[in-house]
Amino acid sequence: MKKITILAIALLVSVSCFAQKQAAFPFKGGKDAMTKFFKDSVSIPQEIIKRRVTGVVMLKFTADDKGDVSKTIIYYADDVYLTIPVNDALRKSAGKWVIDAKEKTHDFVVPFYIRYNLPEVDDAELAKAALTNYRNKKPIYSNNQIPLDMVTLLPAVTINYDVVL
């Protein structure tokens, strides 16, 4: 009788145990759709191309249950010029974010890597511009604690642009 009772309890416990539920990706269409959207939506200004600016921009934002974006915070940026096109593209993503039905808002952190495509031939002017850009960087970063609460780190988006030689 003990064996049957233990077997019944084990069976009930195993039926009630489930693997962790995989959360749906928080952008309509999934990860690839998000990456394509930002690659298409980030418009690199001529000032960035002219100065050969490259670097990282890391933004935190809040999405609500309608998919609208608010409370954008720059956690880190290698250059202030890089934040402008990224922030503009993030605003264009309104309505595309999907959060769990149990939440009214959710915070996300998304890193953007912006760099230029290297030309086929070596270019001394391009190398000099890259070093000048690196030497003159004035990054934006936090000098105090940043509460993250419940935040989701999204996959990085890499944006490449062509330099004019």
PDB file of all heavy atoms in Angstrom, residues 29-62:
ATOM      1  N   GLY A  29       7.186  40.180 -34.132  1.00  0.00           N
ATOM      2  CA  GLY A  29       7.943  39.526 -35.198  1.00  0.00           C
ATOM      3  C   GLY A  29       9.196  38.836 -34.712  1.00  0.00           C
ATOM      4  O   GLY A  29       9.834  38.110 -35.462  1.00  0.00           O
ATOM      5  N   GLY A  30       9.608  39.097 -33.468  1.00  0.00           N
ATOM      6  CA  GLY A  30      10.772  38.412 -32.905  1.00  0.00           C
ATOM      7  C   GLY A  30      12.071  39.179 -33.025  1.00  0.00           C
ATOM      8  O   GLY A  30      12.116  40.349 -33.415  1.00  0.00           O
ATOM      9  N   LYS A  31      13.153  38.472 -32.683  1.00  0.00           N
ATOM     10  CA  LYS A  31      14.489  39.069 -32.637  1.00  0.00           C
ATOM     11  C   LYS A  31      14.942  39.571 -34.007  1.00  0.00           C
ATOM     12  O   LYS A  31      15.455  40.682 -34.136  1.00  0.00           O
ATOM     13  CB  LYS A  31      15.489  38.050 -32.104  1.00  0.00           C
ATOM     14  CG  LYS A  31      16.920  38.520 -32.107  1.00  0.00           C
ATOM     15  CD  LYS A  31      17.854  37.378 -31.712  1.00  0.00           C
ATOM     16  CE  LYS A  31      19.289  37.766 -31.824  1.00  0.00           C
ATOM     17  NZ  LYS A  31      19.787  37.871 -33.181  1.00  0.00           N
ATOM     18  N   ASP A  32      14.738  38.750 -35.027  1.00  0.00           N
ATOM     19  CA  ASP A  32      15.176  39.150 -36.368  1.00  0.00           C
ATOM     20  C   ASP A  32      14.409  40.374 -36.867  1.00  0.00           C
ATOM     21  O   ASP A  32      14.983  41.250 -37.515  1.00  0.00           O
ATOM     22  CB  ASP A  32      15.017  37.989 -37.347  1.00  0.00           C
ATOM     23  CG  ASP A  32      15.961  36.836 -37.010  1.00  0.00           C
ATOM     24  OD1 ASP A  32      17.016  37.083 -36.392  1.00  0.00           O
ATOM     25  OD2 ASP A  32      15.633  35.681 -37.360  1.00  0.00           O
ATOM     26  N   ALA A  33      13.125  40.444 -36.543  1.00  0.00           N
ATOM     27  CA  ALA A  33      12.322  41.608 -36.932  1.00  0.00           C
ATOM     28  C   ALA A  33      12.817  42.862 -36.214  1.00  0.00           C
ATOM     29  O   ALA A  33      12.860  43.948 -36.809  1.00  0.00           O
ATOM     30  CB  ALA A  33      10.850  41.366 -36.633  1.00  0.00           C
ATOM     31  N   MET A  34      13.186  42.725 -34.936  1.00  0.00           N
ATOM     32  CA  MET A  34      13.707  43.873 -34.189  1.00  0.00           C
ATOM     33  C   MET A  34      15.018  44.351 -34.801  1.00  0.00           C
ATOM     34  O   MET A  34      15.218  45.553 -35.036  1.00  0.00           O
ATOM     35  CB  MET A  34      13.917  43.518 -32.714  1.00  0.00           C
ATOM     36  CG  MET A  34      14.408  44.701 -31.887  1.00  0.00           C
ATOM     37  SD  MET A  34      14.940  44.272 -30.226  1.00  0.00           S
ATOM     38  CE  MET A  34      16.613  43.750 -30.532  1.00  0.00           C
ATOM     39  N   THR A  35      15.930  43.420 -35.061  1.00  0.00           N
ATOM     40  CA  THR A  35      17.219  43.783 -35.640  1.00  0.00           C
ATOM     41  C   THR A  35      17.032  44.460 -37.001  1.00  0.00           C
ATOM     42  O   THR A  35      17.633  45.497 -37.273  1.00  0.00           O
ATOM     43  CB  THR A  35      18.101  42.537 -35.784  1.00  0.00           C
ATOM     44  OG1 THR A  35      18.246  41.932 -34.491  1.00  0.00           O
ATOM     45  CG2 THR A  35      19.467  42.879 -36.322  1.00  0.00           C
ATOM     46  N   LYS A  36      16.184  43.899 -37.850  1.00  0.00           N
ATOM     47  CA  LYS A  36      15.924  44.494 -39.168  1.00  0.00           C
ATOM     48  C   LYS A  36      15.287  45.876 -39.030  1.00  0.00           C
ATOM     49  O   LYS A  36      15.672  46.813 -39.730  1.00  0.00           O
ATOM     50  CB  LYS A  36      15.027  43.577 -39.991  1.00  0.00           C
ATOM     51  CG  LYS A  36      14.761  44.113 -41.399  1.00  0.00           C
ATOM     52  CD  LYS A  36      13.890  43.174 -42.189  1.00  0.00           C
ATOM     53  CE  LYS A  36      13.551  43.636 -43.579  1.00  0.00           C
ATOM     54  NZ  LYS A  36      13.780  44.957 -43.969  1.00  0.00           N
ATOM     55  N   PHE A  37      14.331  46.007 -38.105  1.00  0.00           N
ATOM     56  CA  PHE A  37      13.666  47.293 -37.915  1.00  0.00           C
ATOM     57  C   PHE A  37      14.699  48.375 -37.560  1.00  0.00           C
ATOM     58  O   PHE A  37      14.698  49.457 -38.148  1.00  0.00           O
ATOM     59  CB  PHE A  37      12.616  47.207 -36.810  1.00  0.00           C
ATOM     60  CG  PHE A  37      12.037  48.540 -36.446  1.00  0.00           C
ATOM     61  CD1 PHE A  37      11.033  49.107 -37.217  1.00  0.00           C
ATOM     62  CD2 PHE A  37      12.519  49.249 -35.356  1.00  0.00           C
ATOM     63  CE1 PHE A  37      10.520  50.355 -36.898  1.00  0.00           C
ATOM     64  CE2 PHE A  37      12.010  50.496 -35.030  1.00  0.00           C
ATOM     65  CZ  PHE A  37      11.006  51.046 -35.809  1.00  0.00           C
ATOM     66  N   PHE A  38      15.576  48.090 -36.600  1.00  0.00           N
ATOM     67  CA  PHE A  38      16.540  49.114 -36.185  1.00  0.00           C
ATOM     68  C   PHE A  38      17.597  49.360 -37.256  1.00  0.00           C
ATOM     69  O   PHE A  38      18.025  50.501 -37.453  1.00  0.00           O
ATOM     70  CB  PHE A  38      17.165  48.761 -34.845  1.00  0.00           C
ATOM     71  CG  PHE A  38      16.249  49.057 -33.688  1.00  0.00           C
ATOM     72  CD1 PHE A  38      15.749  48.035 -32.897  1.00  0.00           C
ATOM     73  CD2 PHE A  38      15.855  50.346 -33.405  1.00  0.00           C
ATOM     74  CE1 PHE A  38      14.886  48.307 -31.850  1.00  0.00           C
ATOM     75  CE2 PHE A  38      14.992  50.631 -32.365  1.00  0.00           C
ATOM     76  CZ  PHE A  38      14.504  49.606 -31.585  1.00  0.00           C
ATOM     77  N   LYS A  39      18.027  48.318 -37.969  1.00  0.00           N
ATOM     78  CA  LYS A  39      18.988  48.546 -39.045  1.00  0.00           C
ATOM     79  C   LYS A  39      18.385  49.431 -40.130  1.00  0.00           C
ATOM     80  O   LYS A  39      19.072  50.262 -40.709  1.00  0.00           O
ATOM     81  CB  LYS A  39      19.445  47.215 -39.639  1.00  0.00           C
ATOM     82  CG  LYS A  39      20.447  46.510 -38.764  1.00  0.00           C
ATOM     83  CD  LYS A  39      20.978  45.260 -39.417  1.00  0.00           C
ATOM     84  CE  LYS A  39      22.022  44.639 -38.527  1.00  0.00           C
ATOM     85  NZ  LYS A  39      22.749  43.559 -39.194  1.00  0.00           N
ATOM     86  N   ASP A  40      17.089  49.264 -40.395  1.00  0.00           N
ATOM     87  CA  ASP A  40      16.415  50.089 -41.395  1.00  0.00           C
ATOM     88  C   ASP A  40      16.055  51.478 -40.870  1.00  0.00           C
ATOM     89  O   ASP A  40      15.989  52.437 -41.637  1.00  0.00           O
ATOM     90  CB  ASP A  40      15.136  49.399 -41.887  1.00  0.00           C
ATOM     91  CG  ASP A  40      15.414  48.115 -42.649  1.00  0.00           C
ATOM     92  OD1 ASP A  40      16.575  47.916 -43.077  1.00  0.00           O
ATOM     93  OD2 ASP A  40      14.477  47.303 -42.806  1.00  0.00           O
ATOM     94  N   SER A  41      15.807  51.595 -39.565  1.00  0.00           N
ATOM     95  CA  SER A  41      15.306  52.850 -38.993  1.00  0.00           C
ATOM     96  C   SER A  41      16.381  53.803 -38.510  1.00  0.00           C
ATOM     97  O   SER A  41      16.136  54.999 -38.407  1.00  0.00           O
ATOM     98  CB  SER A  41      14.360  52.547 -37.826  1.00  0.00           C
ATOM     99  OG  SER A  41      13.244  51.838 -38.284  1.00  0.00           O
ATOM    100  N   VAL A  42      17.558  53.285 -38.177  1.00  0.00           N
ATOM    101  CA  VAL A  42      18.633  54.172 -37.714  1.00  0.00           C
ATOM    102  C   VAL A  42      19.250  54.823 -38.942  1.00  0.00           C
ATOM    103  O   VAL A  42      19.848  54.170 -39.781  1.00  0.00           O
ATOM    104  CB  VAL A  42      19.695  53.404 -36.891  1.00  0.00           C
ATOM    105  CG1 VAL A  42      20.878  54.308 -36.568  1.00  0.00           C
ATOM    106  CG2 VAL A  42      19.091  52.857 -35.606  1.00  0.00           C
ATOM    107  N   SER A  43      19.079  56.114 -39.024  1.00  0.00           N
ATOM    108  CA  SER A  43      19.609  56.888 -40.140  1.00  0.00           C
ATOM    109  C   SER A  43      20.844  57.645 -39.658  1.00  0.00           C
ATOM    110  O   SER A  43      20.739  58.541 -38.828  1.00  0.00           O
ATOM    111  CB  SER A  43      18.533  57.854 -40.639  1.00  0.00           C
ATOM    112  OG  SER A  43      19.040  58.637 -41.669  1.00  0.00           O
ATOM    113  N   ILE A  44      21.993  57.254 -40.176  1.00  0.00           N
ATOM    114  CA  ILE A  44      23.254  57.862 -39.734  1.00  0.00           C
ATOM    115  C   ILE A  44      23.415  59.225 -40.402  1.00  0.00           C
ATOM    116  O   ILE A  44      23.468  59.325 -41.629  1.00  0.00           O
ATOM    117  CB  ILE A  44      24.451  56.954 -40.092  1.00  0.00           C
ATOM    118  CG1 ILE A  44      24.275  55.553 -39.503  1.00  0.00           C
ATOM    119  CG2 ILE A  44      25.757  57.569 -39.622  1.00  0.00           C
ATOM    120  CD1 ILE A  44      24.214  55.494 -38.000  1.00  0.00           C
ATOM    121  N   PRO A  45      23.500  60.312 -39.602  1.00  0.00           N
ATOM    122  CA  PRO A  45      23.663  61.660 -40.169  1.00  0.00           C
ATOM    123  C   PRO A  45      25.046  61.857 -40.807  1.00  0.00           C
ATOM    124  O   PRO A  45      26.008  61.168 -40.460  1.00  0.00           O
ATOM    125  CB  PRO A  45      23.498  62.586 -38.966  1.00  0.00           C
ATOM    126  CG  PRO A  45      23.015  61.755 -37.846  1.00  0.00           C
ATOM    127  CD  PRO A  45      23.318  60.338 -38.164  1.00  0.00           C
ATOM    128  N   GLN A  46      25.125  62.806 -41.718  1.00  0.00           N
ATOM    129  CA  GLN A  46      26.383  63.098 -42.407  1.00  0.00           C
ATOM    130  C   GLN A  46      27.486  63.521 -41.429  1.00  0.00           C
ATOM    131  O   GLN A  46      28.654  63.247 -41.671  1.00  0.00           O
ATOM    132  CB  GLN A  46      26.168  64.192 -43.460  1.00  0.00           C
ATOM    133  CG  GLN A  46      25.469  63.697 -44.700  1.00  0.00           C
ATOM    134  CD  GLN A  46      26.231  62.582 -45.385  1.00  0.00           C
ATOM    135  OE1 GLN A  46      27.443  62.645 -45.557  1.00  0.00           O
ATOM    136  NE2 GLN A  46      25.508  61.537 -45.764  1.00  0.00           N
ATOM    137  N   GLU A  47      27.128  64.167 -40.341  1.00  0.00           N
ATOM    138  CA  GLU A  47      28.132  64.591 -39.358  1.00  0.00           C
ATOM    139  C   GLU A  47      28.870  63.378 -38.778  1.00  0.00           C
ATOM    140  O   GLU A  47      30.077  63.409 -38.596  1.00  0.00           O
ATOM    141  CB  GLU A  47      27.459  65.392 -38.234  1.00  0.00           C
ATOM    142  CG  GLU A  47      28.411  65.901 -37.174  1.00  0.00           C
ATOM    143  CD  GLU A  47      29.397  66.940 -37.678  1.00  0.00           C
ATOM    144  OE1 GLU A  47      29.134  67.586 -38.705  1.00  0.00           O
ATOM    145  OE2 GLU A  47      30.446  67.105 -37.027  1.00  0.00           O
ATOM    146  N   ILE A  48      28.156  62.313 -38.501  1.00  0.00           N
ATOM    147  CA  ILE A  48      28.782  61.091 -37.975  1.00  0.00           C
ATOM    148  C   ILE A  48      29.660  60.459 -39.050  1.00  0.00           C
ATOM    149  O   ILE A  48      30.788  60.041 -38.775  1.00  0.00           O
ATOM    150  CB  ILE A  48      27.703  60.094 -37.486  1.00  0.00           C
ATOM    151  CG1 ILE A  48      27.060  60.630 -36.214  1.00  0.00           C
ATOM    152  CG2 ILE A  48      28.289  58.709 -37.261  1.00  0.00           C
ATOM    153  CD1 ILE A  48      25.902  59.792 -35.693  1.00  0.00           C
ATOM    154  N   ILE A  49      29.159  60.389 -40.273  1.00  0.00           N
ATOM    155  CA  ILE A  49      29.935  59.793 -41.362  1.00  0.00           C
ATOM    156  C   ILE A  49      31.195  60.613 -41.624  1.00  0.00           C
ATOM    157  O   ILE A  49      32.286  60.058 -41.793  1.00  0.00           O
ATOM    158  CB  ILE A  49      29.065  59.687 -42.637  1.00  0.00           C
ATOM    159  CG1 ILE A  49      27.922  58.702 -42.400  1.00  0.00           C
ATOM    160  CG2 ILE A  49      29.904  59.266 -43.840  1.00  0.00           C
ATOM    161  CD1 ILE A  49      26.872  58.673 -43.493  1.00  0.00           C
ATOM    162  N   LYS A  50      31.048  61.927 -41.629  1.00  0.00           N
ATOM    163  CA  LYS A  50      32.190  62.809 -41.880  1.00  0.00           C
ATOM    164  C   LYS A  50      33.256  62.669 -40.800  1.00  0.00           C
ATOM    165  O   LYS A  50      34.453  62.619 -41.095  1.00  0.00           O
ATOM    166  CB  LYS A  50      31.709  64.259 -41.970  1.00  0.00           C
ATOM    167  CG  LYS A  50      32.769  65.233 -42.427  1.00  0.00           C
ATOM    168  CD  LYS A  50      32.192  66.611 -42.627  1.00  0.00           C
ATOM    169  CE  LYS A  50      32.353  67.353 -41.339  1.00  0.00           C
ATOM    170  NZ  LYS A  50      31.874  68.730 -41.373  1.00  0.00           N
ATOM    171  N   ARG A  51      32.824  62.573 -39.540  1.00  0.00           N
ATOM    172  CA  ARG A  51      33.767  62.467 -38.430  1.00  0.00           C
ATOM    173  C   ARG A  51      34.229  61.037 -38.177  1.00  0.00           C
ATOM    174  O   ARG A  51      35.074  60.803 -37.333  1.00  0.00           O
ATOM    175  CB  ARG A  51      33.135  63.018 -37.156  1.00  0.00           C
ATOM    176  CG  ARG A  51      32.965  64.520 -37.190  1.00  0.00           C
ATOM    177  CD  ARG A  51      32.441  65.085 -35.883  1.00  0.00           C
ATOM    178  NE  ARG A  51      33.200  64.623 -34.743  1.00  0.00           N
ATOM    179  CZ  ARG A  51      32.657  64.215 -33.588  1.00  0.00           C
ATOM    180  NH1 ARG A  51      31.356  64.219 -33.428  1.00  0.00           N
ATOM    181  NH2 ARG A  51      33.414  63.820 -32.599  1.00  0.00           N
ATOM    182  N   ARG A  52      33.642  60.051 -38.883  1.00  0.00           N
ATOM    183  CA  ARG A  52      33.985  58.626 -38.723  1.00  0.00           C
ATOM    184  C   ARG A  52      33.760  58.157 -37.282  1.00  0.00           C
ATOM    185  O   ARG A  52      34.557  57.438 -36.708  1.00  0.00           O
ATOM    186  CB  ARG A  52      35.427  58.323 -39.113  1.00  0.00           C
ATOM    187  CG  ARG A  52      35.957  58.861 -40.415  1.00  0.00           C
ATOM    188  CD  ARG A  52      35.191  58.342 -41.607  1.00  0.00           C
ATOM    189  NE  ARG A  52      35.963  58.329 -42.825  1.00  0.00           N
ATOM    190  CZ  ARG A  52      35.910  59.260 -43.758  1.00  0.00           C
ATOM    191  NH1 ARG A  52      35.146  60.308 -43.588  1.00  0.00           N
ATOM    192  NH2 ARG A  52      36.610  59.154 -44.861  1.00  0.00           N
ATOM    193  N   VAL A  53      32.643  58.569 -36.700  1.00  0.00           N
ATOM    194  CA  VAL A  53      32.330  58.236 -35.310  1.00  0.00           C
ATOM    195  C   VAL A  53      31.836  56.791 -35.238  1.00  0.00           C
ATOM    196  O   VAL A  53      31.005  56.365 -36.033  1.00  0.00           O
ATOM    197  CB  VAL A  53      31.257  59.192 -34.743  1.00  0.00           C
ATOM    198  CG1 VAL A  53      30.905  58.832 -33.314  1.00  0.00           C
ATOM    199  CG2 VAL A  53      31.737  60.631 -34.819  1.00  0.00           C
ATOM    200  N   THR A  54      32.354  56.060 -34.283  1.00  0.00           N
ATOM    201  CA  THR A  54      31.906  54.689 -34.013  1.00  0.00           C
ATOM    202  C   THR A  54      31.745  54.537 -32.507  1.00  0.00           C
ATOM    203  O   THR A  54      32.300  55.310 -31.734  1.00  0.00           O
ATOM    204  CB  THR A  54      32.914  53.644 -34.499  1.00  0.00           C
ATOM    205  OG1 THR A  54      34.142  53.827 -33.807  1.00  0.00           O
ATOM    206  CG2 THR A  54      33.139  53.727 -35.991  1.00  0.00           C
ATOM    207  N   GLY A  55      31.007  53.522 -32.104  1.00  0.00           N
ATOM    208  CA  GLY A  55      30.900  53.274 -30.674  1.00  0.00           C
ATOM    209  C   GLY A  55      29.628  52.563 -30.274  1.00  0.00           C
ATOM    210  O   GLY A  55      28.889  52.037 -31.102  1.00  0.00           O
ATOM    211  N   VAL A  56      29.398  52.589 -28.975  1.00  0.00           N
ATOM    212  CA  VAL A  56      28.291  51.887 -28.346  1.00  0.00           C
ATOM    213  C   VAL A  56      27.321  52.903 -27.752  1.00  0.00           C
ATOM    214  O   VAL A  56      27.741  53.916 -27.203  1.00  0.00           O
ATOM    215  CB  VAL A  56      28.805  50.972 -27.213  1.00  0.00           C
ATOM    216  CG1 VAL A  56      27.668  50.305 -26.478  1.00  0.00           C
ATOM    217  CG2 VAL A  56      29.775  49.954 -27.745  1.00  0.00           C
ATOM    218  N   VAL A  57      26.027  52.597 -27.885  1.00  0.00           N
ATOM    219  CA  VAL A  57      24.981  53.339 -27.186  1.00  0.00           C
ATOM    220  C   VAL A  57      24.130  52.307 -26.476  1.00  0.00           C
ATOM    221  O   VAL A  57      23.676  51.350 -27.086  1.00  0.00           O
ATOM    222  CB  VAL A  57      24.098  54.159 -28.160  1.00  0.00           C
ATOM    223  CG1 VAL A  57      22.962  54.833 -27.411  1.00  0.00           C
ATOM    224  CG2 VAL A  57      24.925  55.171 -28.911  1.00  0.00           C
ATOM    225  N   MET A  58      23.956  52.482 -25.178  1.00  0.00           N
ATOM    226  CA  MET A  58      23.131  51.563 -24.401  1.00  0.00           C
ATOM    227  C   MET A  58      21.985  52.359 -23.793  1.00  0.00           C
ATOM    228  O   MET A  58      22.207  53.272 -23.003  1.00  0.00           O
ATOM    229  CB  MET A  58      23.947  50.885 -23.315  1.00  0.00           C
ATOM    230  CG  MET A  58      23.186  49.780 -22.631  1.00  0.00           C
ATOM    231  SD  MET A  58      24.205  48.776 -21.569  1.00  0.00           S
ATOM    232  CE  MET A  58      25.109  47.832 -22.764  1.00  0.00           C
ATOM    233  N   LEU A  59      20.764  52.006 -24.203  1.00  0.00           N
ATOM    234  CA  LEU A  59      19.568  52.720 -23.757  1.00  0.00           C
ATOM    235  C   LEU A  59      18.692  51.820 -22.900  1.00  0.00           C
ATOM    236  O   LEU A  59      18.573  50.629 -23.159  1.00  0.00           O
ATOM    237  CB  LEU A  59      18.736  53.184 -24.947  1.00  0.00           C
ATOM    238  CG  LEU A  59      19.348  54.174 -25.911  1.00  0.00           C
ATOM    239  CD1 LEU A  59      18.398  54.434 -27.062  1.00  0.00           C
ATOM    240  CD2 LEU A  59      19.685  55.469 -25.211  1.00  0.00           C
ATOM    241  N   LYS A  60      18.064  52.434 -21.901  1.00  0.00           N
ATOM    242  CA  LYS A  60      17.005  51.774 -21.145  1.00  0.00           C
ATOM    243  C   LYS A  60      15.728  52.533 -21.460  1.00  0.00           C
ATOM    244  O   LYS A  60      15.722  53.757 -21.524  1.00  0.00           O
ATOM    245  CB  LYS A  60      17.271  51.828 -19.648  1.00  0.00           C
ATOM    246  CG  LYS A  60      16.147  51.195 -18.840  1.00  0.00           C
ATOM    247  CD  LYS A  60      16.374  51.367 -17.337  1.00  0.00           C
ATOM    248  CE  LYS A  60      15.158  50.867 -16.604  1.00  0.00           C
ATOM    249  NZ  LYS A  60      14.874  51.621 -15.422  1.00  0.00           N
ATOM    250  N   PHE A  61      14.641  51.785 -21.691  1.00  0.00           N
ATOM    251  CA  PHE A  61      13.366  52.424 -21.961  1.00  0.00           C
ATOM    252  C   PHE A  61      12.254  51.584 -21.366  1.00  0.00           C
ATOM    253  O   PHE A  61      12.439  50.427 -21.010  1.00  0.00           O
ATOM    254  CB  PHE A  61      13.152  52.638 -23.462  1.00  0.00           C
ATOM    255  CG  PHE A  61      13.062  51.366 -24.245  1.00  0.00           C
ATOM    256  CD1 PHE A  61      11.832  50.787 -24.526  1.00  0.00           C
ATOM    257  CD2 PHE A  61      14.204  50.732 -24.699  1.00  0.00           C
ATOM    258  CE1 PHE A  61      11.744  49.609 -25.247  1.00  0.00           C
ATOM    259  CE2 PHE A  61      14.118  49.554 -25.420  1.00  0.00           C
ATOM    260  CZ  PHE A  61      12.889  48.999 -25.692  1.00  0.00           C
ATOM    261  N   THR A  62      11.100  52.190 -21.258  1.00  0.00           N
ATOM    262  CA  THR A  62       9.916  51.512 -20.739  1.00  0.00           C
ATOM    263  C   THR A  62       8.908  51.372 -21.864  1.00  0.00           C
ATOM    264  O   THR A  62       8.642  52.329 -22.585  1.00  0.00           O
ATOM    265  CB  THR A  62       9.305  52.327 -19.579  1.00  0.00           C
ATOM    266  OG1 THR A  62      10.290  52.471 -18.557  1.00  0.00           O
ATOM    267  CG2 THR A  62       8.084  51.637 -19.007  1.00  0.00           C
TER     268      THR A  62
END
